[in-house]
Structures are given as structure tokens and as C-alpha cells.
Amino acid sequence: MFNFLLQRFGKKQPDSISFSEEKKNARQAAANEVRQAAIRQAEALPDDENEAAAFILQSSSADARFIAAQKVHSKVLLQQIRNALRNTDRRVTRLVQSRLDALSQREKQQEQILACVDLANHLKNEVHLLPNLVADLDRQWDTVKKADADDAGLVRQYEAIRDAIRQRLTDQAALQREVMDTLSALLQLEEEEAALTPPEREARLTVLLALSENRVQSREWTALPRHLINDVDEAKERLAGNTQQHRQNHEALAVRIEMLAAWESADLSTLTLKDLQQQWRAFPVGNDDERLSDLQARFDALAARVSRDDRQEHEKTGQKLSSTEIESLFVYSLSLMKKAIEEGSVREATQQSERITHLDFSVFEPSFEQKAMLVQLRSELRNLADWARWGGHASREQLLRIVEALPGKNYPLEELAAAVVDAREKWKALNESSGMASKSQWQQFDAACNHAYEPVMEYARSQAVAREQNKEKAQALVDSAREILSTLKLPPEENEMNWRSLVEYQRQVQRTWQQIGPITRKEKKRLNAELDAVMRPLDELLKEETKIQVQRRKELIEEVRNLEPQDKKSGRMARQLQEKWQERARAFPLDSREDEKLWQQFRSASEAIFAHRSKLNEVAEKERLDSLREKEKLCENLETNLAETVGKIQQALREADGQWRGAGPVPKEQEGVIQERYNAAVEALLSRMRTMQEEEKNRRIAALIEKLSICQKGENALPDQPELADELKSLWESQPSDEWKKMLRPRFDAALNALAARDAAYVEALKSRQSHLSEQLLRLEIAAAIDSPPEFAEKRRQVQLEVLKDSLSGNRNVSSHDQLNALCILPVLTDPLSADRIIRLVKKIKGA
């Protein structure tokens, strides 16, 4: 209905459109020229990163910035560009971020290589270089990517250090083999020393000790297994301590062999069984039981022959020894008598003196010197016998007092037994050196020894009882294990397996068996074999399952080592693997040493993951703190924003929204606080903007109402009040310029022109439009839900029906704003009621 008005007042002129397009094309051409110039300038940049970075930061051309960004590679400049262009140039930001990621990966790779080099250096200089540490180093080195050529120097450095470590390990292996060979040689020498002469033994021992001392000086000596070093030291100490004993044993055997050979080659008639036995017992005794037994067999055979010859000699009647034989016996007995006196052996000297007395001197007369020596030796024998009897009696009395005092000393049983045995040996030695003791002395001494030894005997009896009880306990344990295992189904079904119970039972049996006290060797061997036979099915089953469980633990270790620390899920996955480890440990407990070894490997791999994640979290936390400071600064800027126009507030809010989105996450505990602060700051600006918009809207409505009133006043002054033209014109000019002033200008000018010409026809035209005005007011009041005056109630219902009919017929409805605009620019005589209705509509529709 009002299309002619819209076409008249709302249509743009073609000239203005053409001019706008030309202006737009000119701006585009200028912008293209600027962009091409910036691209040429970027391409002409030298290979100077600082200059390229400065150009990027001040350039307004995205293409030029991207070209210049190709020349920046240093981390500091890349970070500076990323921070500056993060929210304005995504293409350059992606390029810069990709290079920063590559640099970060490169730095990480170098850190890993440097860590391996440092660890290798540490191991190379380690005093105790252990192979398991080197194996850990190799595994760590295998995880490092060494593809960059820049790492070639570090790789060569690591390989050189690794070669040195490899040489140390080789030296360790060689040294360990040499030490084991030396230990074998020492043990072999210890086994063969009885067959060696002292010079031969000492020569071999000296060579082995020299070799051992040379190896002790080796750098790798301390890295050898401690038990191997202890075995070598113990073998050396035993051999070095047995040197004197070996020499004495060898000399003792040599004396016995020499004398036995002399007796075997001598005339048996010159030998007596008693003399042979006394001299044989007087010889020193060695510890070579095998050779002593051979020599004893030879001596026994010789003694049997001498005894047989003596009997034959006594059976002969009238047979006498020759002078030569008597002389030999005299000289031999005299020498043995002299030796016995020098050694203080009264019994031996007395026997030899009696032997000389029974010789037949009728066929042999000793020389003067021999007689003088015999007289002197017998005199010394008498003195020695007197002293021996006196000393032996005193020694026996003292020895008896010592033994009688033993029960009150509270000696340990071992020392008490050793003291009693030592006292008996000394008593026997006194019998040899001082003659036999009296029967009463012997009975008194024997009773004292038995009394002193009674605690040892009591302890021995209690130990025998304890051994019997321990045997019964061991047998009961074996029978119990047999009964329990016979009731078990081995191997159990898959759904019936309770490995933990089986392992705990096995360990309980082992602990109980170890806690059983001593048992006789024979019974211990028998019970051990019986228990092994009973427990063998369970032991073999658990042994096989242990291998499976160890392999599963190793698989868990590999799973942890294969986790990527950069993956955010790696920490959670590592904790899940730890829980799985604990479940398997509870289900099947391994041996403590094996379990500790595997656990240390698993724990080291897990801690490496958590350490790396912690480091990444620290970096992320730092970035979150930076984001928090950035958002706090942004909130502060919003809170202190004093923009006076809606446009500036909207621009500030758009910029703040972009910066807020690009700032990144903040610490979770601060996320709600900073978000509330930001929302409050934004809401404050929005509230101020809404207030300003409301004020601006009210101002525009007031200006529209004022301009409408001027137009209505001019139209109502027609045609008889031309004197109001100047006043109206002055009022119109005082109004600010806006869109409504332009739209109402034709209506105002038409009213002024008609007023100046006193145009009655124009007044009639204005009056003719009053009915149309009334209908349009009703339509607008219906659309705006405003009550119409009561007198228009019937008319309003008719208009409502028309509006409903138009909507049902599908006619296109013009918006209320457009209808109101058309009504405002429509020249028409307006009465006060209609003017008031128009004001109400303007406030309702324009203020909505």
C-alpha cells in the first residue's frame, strides 16, 4: 500500500552505487599493490633471522609474513613470532609451532644422548663396574633416536666411551677367568701337597701367590664376585698356614721311611720287637693318613718277622751272639741311651741301659772311652730319673688341681671338653717322660677328669635326646606333607588354582624344615630324600609356574618401557600396569630376591615415565600460569575500560573474546575464579553498552517524536498561519542530522512550501489521508498489542478480521517497523489523539 512512498524515499540513486563500486575497486587495487610490494620486500630479505622476525612483526601482509617466516629458525625468535601472531595469523603460527616442536624434539633427543654419554662416563669411571648397569645403559641408548647429523659427534663420543666400557667388561671376564684358574690351581695344590716335597710345594705356592698379588693390583679386582675373592683368600691363607705343618709332616714321614728302610735291610736278629715299637711310637706323626697307613702296614709286617725270629732265637739252646754283633748292639744302644737322656725320656734311657746290662761282655769288652761314656750316661740317668720322678709328681699334682678346679670355672662346653682332653694328653706325656704314676694317683686323676667332663657328657646325652626328638618332628613333617599333598589334585584345574596358597604352603614346609634342630647325619640324609620325594610334584609345578610368572612380569616391564612419555595417557597406563603388577604379585608371590630384582626394573621404568610426565606437567603448569596471568591482565583491561561509545565497547569485547580464546587453559583451581571475573567484566561492559544503547535509542525516539511534531505542527498551520514558517524552519534546523531527518525532510519541505503558497489543495489532500491514517494506526496497534481508544473498538474488530483474512490468504505482511516508517513519512493532518497514538506506537515499536 505504501510502496510508492518506499520507492520515493528509500531507493538509492544509481550514481551513488556506481561511485561506491569505483571507490571499492580503487581500494582493492591499492591493497593488491601494497600486498605485492610487501611480498617482494619479503622475498628480498637477506638470510638474517633478526631482520626477518622484525619484518614479520611489523608487516600487515599475511603472504609476506609467511614468506619471511621461512627464514626464521632460532627458538627465541620463533617463540616471539608465535606469541605475537597467535590470534592474527594462523598459517604463520602453524609454521612457527611446527619448527618449535621440531626444535623441542631435537633438544629432547640431545638431552637423551647427553644423558647416555654422562651415564656412560660415570660407568667408565665407576670402581665397581657391574654388567647389569651396562645393560641398562644399552637399553636406554637403544631408545634414543640418532637420525640427525648434528648428533654424530655425540654418537661417536658415546661409542668411544662404550668401547672403553666394553674393554673393561672384557678385562673383568678375563680377570675372573684367571682368578678362577688360580683358585683351581690352589685347590689342586692343596689336594696334591702331600705328594710334594716342601721345596716343590713352596715353589708352586710362590708362583700362585705372585700371580694372585699381580691380579689384586688390577683395576677390575674390586668388581669380581665377593665370594670368589673370599674363596681365593681363604685358599691362600690355608696353604700359607699349612706350610710349616707340611714341612714337619714331610720330615716325619721321611724319618719313618728312612728308619723303616734301615730296619728292613738290617739283620732281624739284631732287632727286638719292644725296641722297634718304642722307637716307632717315638717318631713324629704326620697327617698323611694314606701314606702313614702304608708305612704302618710295612712296620707291622716287620714287627711280625722280628717277633718270629725272637721266638726262634729263644728256642735255640746254647747259641750266643758273636763279639761283632754284641759290639754293634752296645754301640747302637749307647747312642739311643744318649739321645733319650738329651730328650729327657727317662723310660727310653732306662730300657737302653738295661739292654746294655744284659749283653754278654765275656766275648766283648768295651773300650775305655765307651765305658766312661756309659758311666757318665748312667749317672746322668740317675739324676734325670730323680728329677723326673720329682717333677712328674709335682706336675701330676698340679695337673690334678687344675682338673679338679674345672667344674667351678663355668667354661663353655667346648672349652671344658678341650681342657679335659688336653689334661689327659699331658698326663700321658708325663708317663712317657717321668715314669708311670701310681694307681691311686691315676684313679684320683681319672675320677677328677670324669667329674669335670660330666657337663659335656650331660650335654651330649641331651643332644642325643634332642636329635631323637628332632627326628620325630622331621618325620611328622614329612608324613603331614605326604598326607596333605595326597589330598591335593596336582596340577589343579584352571578354575581351582590358588597359587598363593600353594606357594605359601611350600615356603611354610621349607621354613619348618629349616627350624628343626640337628639330626644324625644318616637320619638327616634319609629324611631329606623322603621329603624331596614328597614335595617334588609341588616343587616342579611351582617351578614351571614361576617361569611363567617371571615372563609375565618381564612383559609388564617391557610394556612400561614401551610407553610414550609424551602421551597424556602414559601416566594412567603406567598406574594401571602397577595395579596389574600388584595383582600378579598377590596371586603368585615369587622368591624375594627374584621379585626384588624384577620390581626394581619395573619401578625404574615406571619412575622414568612419571618423571617425564612430571616434567611435562611442570611445563604445562608454567604455560597455564602464563595463561592465567594473561587472562588476569585481560580482565584488568576490561575492568578499567572507559570506552564512551557502543562501537568501541563492541570492538573491545571482540578483541577480548579472541584473546581469551587464544590464551589457553589455566590451573584448574583458578579456572572458575578467573572465568567468573572475566564474565563479570564482560557483563559490566555489556551492561554499560546496553545502557548506552538504551539511552541512544531513547534519544533517537525523542528526536523522531520531535521531528514528527514539527512536521505535524507545520501541516496543522495550513493554510492560514504562514507566519509560523520561519519558526518551524528554525526548529527544524536546530534538530541534529540523522536518518529520520533525511526521511522526514520531504514531508517538512512539502508543508513549508504549502504554507508559503497557502495551498488549499494540499490541505485537502492531507485531510483525505486521515481515514487511511486511522486504519494504519489500528493495524499497528493490533500488531504492537496496544489498546486503541474506546471509540475505535468496532473498527478495530473489523481491522483485526482483515488482518486475519490477509494472513490466511497468504498475503505477505509488511513488518511493523516498515509500516511505522511509512506512517511517519506520510503527510497527513494529525489531530492530538492521533498524534498521541503515533507517539505511543513509536515508543513501543522503536523501543522494542
Side-chain angles (χ1 to χ4, degrees), residues 272-418:
T272 62
L273 180 61
K274 186 176 181 180
D275 291 342
L276 289 178
Q277 290 175 343
Q278 289 178 353
Q279 293 182 37
W280 184 258
R281 284 194 296 268
F283 292 151
V285 180
N287 60 355
D288 191 347
D289 296 337
E290 183 177 356
R291 300 186 66 184
L292 281 174
S293 61
D294 294 340
L295 295 177
Q296 185 65 39
R298 290 174 58 187
F299 176 79
D300 292 341
L302 177 64
R305 291 166 56 194
V306 171
S307 176
R308 185 173 58 254
D309 290 345
D310 286 345
R311 289 195 300 270
Q312 293 175 358
E313 185 67 24
H314 286 294
E315 291 175 358
K316 295 179 181 179
T317 57
Q319 184 178 3
K320 296 183 178 180
L321 297 176
S322 64
S323 59
T324 304
E325 293 174 342
I326 293 175
E327 181 181 3
S328 299
L329 287 175
F330 177 79
V331 172
Y332 179 68
S333 298
L334 190 64
S335 64
L336 291 179
M337 182 179 177
K338 181 179 179 181
K339 183 177 180 181
I341 291 173
E342 291 175 354
E343 294 178 355
S345 178
V346 176
R347 176 182 290 185
E348 179 66 21
T350 302
Q351 291 177 354
Q352 297 300 329
S353 176
E354 292 176 354
R355 187 174 183 181
I356 292 174
T357 302
H358 290 90
L359 291 177
D360 187 3
F361 289 102
S362 61
V363 295
F364 165 72
E365 184 178 359
S367 64
F368 177 78
E369 291 80 3
Q370 291 174 337
K371 291 180 180 180
M373 180 178 293
L374 179 60
V375 172
Q376 181 182 357
L377 290 176
R378 284 178 173 173
S379 176
E380 293 178 1
L381 177 59
R382 285 192 296 273
N383 293 333
L384 181 61
D386 293 340
W387 280 104
R389 281 192 295 274
W390 179 83
H393 181 73
S395 298
R396 288 188 178 94
E397 289 294 332
Q398 182 181 5
L399 192 59
L400 181 60
R401 287 193 298 273
I402 292 174
V403 174
E404 289 176 344
L406 285 178
K409 296 292 185 180
N410 293 325
Y411 284 152
L413 294 179
E414 294 83 357
E415 296 183 11
L416 179 62

Side-chain angles (χ1 to χ4, degrees), residues 29 45 257 324 450 475 495 570 605 629 667 697 726 814-815 818:
L45 287 174
I257 291 172
T324 304
N450 291 337
Q475 186 64 54
N495 56 354
S570 59
R629 287 190 288 270
K697 181 174 65 176
D726 293 335
V814 182
S815 66
D818 293 340

Side-chain angles (χ1 to χ4, degrees), residues 189 193 196-199 201-203 205-206 209 235-251 287:
L189 176 60
E193 64 179 353
L196 299 176
T197 63
R201 178 184 181 277
E202 291 176 4
L205 181 60
T206 301
L209 292 178
K236 290 193 298 185
E237 291 178 1
R238 286 198 305 272
L239 288 170
N242 292 338
T243 300
Q244 184 64 28
Q245 184 66 31
H246 177 268
R247 184 180 294 108
Q248 294 177 356
N249 293 337
H250 189 272
E251 292 176 354
N287 60 355

